[in-house]
Amino acid sequence: MSKTLLSYEDVVQASNGVHVLGTGDFCFTDVQTDSRNVVRNTLFVPLIGENQDGHKYIPQAIEKGATVVLVNFKNFEADGSFYASLSQSNPSVFFIAVDNNLSALQKIAGRYVEQFPELIKIGVTGSSGKTTTKEMLRSILSQKYNVVSNKGNLNSETGLPLSVFSIRAEHKVGLFEMGMNRKDEIKEIAGVLKPRFAVVTNIGTAHVGLLGSRENIAAEKAHVFDYINHFGTAVIPKDDDFTDYLASQVDGNVVYYGCNLPENVQLVSHKGLDGTDFSINGVPVHLSLPGEYNYKNTLAAVTLALVLGLSAEEIKRGVESYQTLFGRSEIIHGQYTVVKDCYNANPDSMEKALELMSSVSVKNKKFFVLGDMLELGEDSERAHAHVGELVSKSDAVCIFVGQEMNAAYKAYSGLDGMYVADKSDESIGRIVDFIKHNAVKDDVILVKGSRGMALERVCDGLLGED
């Protein structure tokens, strides 16, 4: 049998749980909250959401190889005979009852992290740019260290705890992105990792509809500093509205980036869609990601890399070997030049993308395909109307997609424009046909919207992949 990630005693103590059913050898080598992802020797944590109760998938999880199952006390007490029958058929599966499955998952994950006291633990958060910053930092630090990090943006109350179970003894750096969409979420997941080093990209308006104000967002993001405790370092943007507040929340070293910082990094030139040239201690570096905002994200990563002792040459290799993630500032050259930026959108990232595109000169036309920015709450109509005002000043043909973007279309005063109210495949086809009818070779097309809009379908249609 494979060695278990945590002992029976650790799981029960960390979760404050009660072993109610199951006997034999206790072992799990994987942790999942989705029964479809369960493999042999999995600890299965069925979560209870607004519309789903994962407890009903416990039989499927056991069938696929779950060896340990967390069960909410209320569920166990309400249907004891069901669990007794399951246990009778699967006597080697351990059932551990807990008060709250999500909280138990986080506490068990925290106990697991404690097994690696020498690990350099880094948390990355911010309203926008955190995934790019985390991935850039991973690319850089990998030039010197064995790095483990969350895949994609598994950065939530469940995503981060699941991610830390990928830490192994050979890893020297644990680099984890931390996202939020509610109060206390950063506080909770920071308590899992307990990072001694932290990077904040910015305090913007992403999720402001859920948190209420930028002040509340800043207060929540600052919890990434909770475990620095004299020892570590916080990397903070110098030119953010909340710079001073963030610095005041750090009990340890504070290092700033941006506004000609760090001092040994010099900007050479911004090259639009072709990226940015800069130097570190005189060593020339080329960043392929477009836009000043991506340069700033890179500066955050470079700053922490310098704190951790990487050389200019190591940082150069990391920056120049960075691979663009799906839908994040991807530049795709074909019949048209497509800027595929459809993984995420909020007012900050939308404004930065539009600024970049406004600075790009083209032979003929630019097209902006702009989809809804989701989760903005009461601020949504005003934020979308502002997008319409911004693009009115551009020389682009603007296509607005989604219910929220109606406010942008109404505020838009440009000559060329199109509004599509929904994100159906039929509507996406109309957009593709419109662009193909009006665009010529080498025109530049920005596709930007929240992930839920699935605007990559526009890119696929334009690039012949539909």
Side-chain angles (χ1 to χ4, degrees):
M1 179 171 285
S2 303
K3 182 181 178 182
T4 186
L5 293 180
L6 275 175
S7 70
Y8 163 83
E9 291 78 14
D10 277 328
V11 170
V12 171
Q13 290 171 9
S15 65
N16 196 28
V18 176
H19 172 205
V20 290
L21 293 167
T23 59
D25 294 323
F26 182 91
C27 177
F28 68 95
T29 56
D30 191 28
V31 182
Q32 297 292 341
T33 57
D34 187 331
S35 62
R36 293 169 294 184
N37 297 330
V38 168
V39 295
R40 184 172 176 269
N41 289 341
T42 292
L43 164 61
F44 178 57
V45 186
L47 300 177
I48 300 175
E50 292 182 13
N51 303 312
Q52 281 269 36
D53 185 342
H55 287 74
K56 71 179 181 180
Y57 299 108
I58 291 175
Q60 291 93 316
I62 292 174
E63 186 177 338
K64 294 187 73 173
T67 50
V68 184
V69 178
L70 296 191
V71 184
N72 268 28
F73 270 117
K74 289 182 180 179
N75 292 68
F76 183 76
E77 291 171 351
D79 203 356
S81 59
F82 167 73
Y83 294 101
S85 176
L86 266 180
S87 181
Q88 189 172 6
S89 303
N90 305 274
S92 63
V93 176
F94 280 71
F95 288 82
I96 298 173
V98 297
D99 285 328
N100 180 291
N101 272 6
L102 175 59
S103 177
L105 169 65
Q106 293 172 347
K107 290 174 181 176
I108 292 168
R111 180 66 61 90
Y112 180 73
V113 174
E114 290 172 6
Q115 295 185 124
F116 307 94
E118 301 302 316
L119 188 72
I120 299 170
K121 297 179 292 185
I122 304 169
V124 178
T125 193
S127 294
S128 60
K130 54 186 174 291
T131 300
T132 298
T133 302
K134 182 258 296 184
E135 288 296 319
M136 181 61 73
L137 193 51
R138 184 188 63 78
S139 183
I140 294 170
L141 295 181
S142 294
Q143 305 304 314
K144 182 175 182 178
Y145 298 109
N146 192 332
V147 180
V148 59
S149 64
N150 24 14
K151 296 177 181 177
N153 68 334
L154 285 173
N155 60 13
S156 65
E157 61 188 6
T158 57
L160 182 127
L162 292 175
S163 294
V164 301
F165 284 107
S166 59
I167 299 170
R168 296 293 182 267
E170 64 267 23
H171 294 128
K172 301 302 180 186
V173 173
L175 169 63
F176 293 93
E177 176 184 336
M178 297 182 176
M180 67 169 192
N181 58 20
R182 63 170 175 83
K183 188 178 184 300
D184 290 334
E185 189 164 3
I186 296 291
K187 183 178 182 180
E188 289 174 12
I189 60 181
V192 172
L193 181 64
K194 297 182 172 62
R196 289 297 185 93
F197 298 88
V199 178
V200 175
T201 59
N202 50 54
I203 302 299
T205 53
H207 306 303
V208 70
L210 300 168
L211 273 293
S213 68
R214 289 181 72 203
E215 286 75 14
N216 290 343
I217 292 171
E220 187 60 34
K221 296 291 187 186
H223 283 298
V224 74
F225 307 137
D226 283 356
Y227 299 90
I228 287 179
N229 296 338
H230 304 292
F231 170 80
T233 297
V235 176
I236 295 173
K238 183 63 176 175
D239 56 352
D240 196 275
D241 293 342
F242 291 87
T243 296
D244 292 341
Y245 170 77
L246 291 171
S248 74
Q249 302 303 299
V250 180
D251 182 13
N253 187 36
V254 176
V255 178
Y256 300 97
Y257 68 94
C259 294
N260 299 316
L261 294 172
E263 293 178 356
N264 48 350
V265 177
Q266 300 294 321
L267 172 66
V268 177
S269 65
H270 290 299
K271 296 179 174 296
L273 295 182
D274 293 324
T276 298
D277 288 335
F278 64 102
S279 67
I280 306 170
N281 292 327
V283 175
V285 184
H286 176 68
L287 170 67
S288 61
L289 287 174
E292 293 184 28
Y293 57 98
N294 278 318
Y295 174 61
K296 186 177 178 184
N297 293 334
T298 300
L299 273 183
V302 168
T303 301
L304 183 55
L306 289 168
V307 168
L308 294 174
L310 273 78
S311 68
E313 289 76 13
E314 288 169 329
I315 296 172
K316 172 185 174 72
R317 289 200 302 270
V319 172
E320 293 185 350
S321 63
Y322 175 86
Q323 298 294 312
T324 303
L325 295 173
F326 164 81
R328 297 180 189 269
S329 301
E330 286 185 77
I331 310 298
I332 306 170
H333 296 285
Q335 171 76 8
Y336 320 107
T337 297
V338 177
V339 181
K340 186 178 182 180
D341 198 357
C342 50
Y343 194 87
N344 192 21
N346 57 59
D348 306 302
S349 66
M350 182 69 78
E351 186 165 346
K352 289 168 183 173
L354 293 173
E355 285 176 3
L356 167 65
M357 297 305 295
S358 296
S359 70
V360 173
S361 59
V362 298
K363 293 179 181 178
N364 190 40
K365 287 183 181 178
K366 301 175 191 174
F367 292 80
F368 295 168
V369 182
L370 308 177
D372 286 351
M373 301 179 290
L374 304 176
E375 297 182 348
L376 296 184
E378 294 179 358
D379 201 44
S380 184
E381 184 174 356
R382 186 201 62 78
H384 283 84
H386 182 58
V387 170
E389 293 165 1
L390 285 175
V391 295
S392 294
K393 305 169 187 176
S394 75
D395 55 354
V397 177
C398 297
I399 302 163
F400 305 93
V401 189
Q403 296 292 329
E404 302 300 320
M405 274 294 169
N406 187 37
Y409 184 61
K410 288 179 179 177
Y412 177 64
S413 59
L415 296 177
D416 296 310
M418 176 181 179
Y419 173 63
V420 177
D422 65 76
K423 59 178 182 178
S424 67
D425 288 343
E426 180 182 355
S427 293
I428 296 298
R430 285 175 54 209
I431 294 168
V432 171
D433 290 342
F434 175 84
I435 295 174
K436 285 184 174 181
H437 182 74
N438 290 280
V440 299
K441 189 177 185 300
D442 296 330
D443 279 357
V444 177
I445 302 162
L446 168 68
V447 182
K448 175 78 174 172
S450 284
R451 185 71 195 94
M453 299 301 291
L455 291 185
E456 67 272 9
R457 293 173 295 164
V458 173
C459 303
D460 293 344
L462 293 172
L463 298 167
E465 300 170 11
D466 52 344

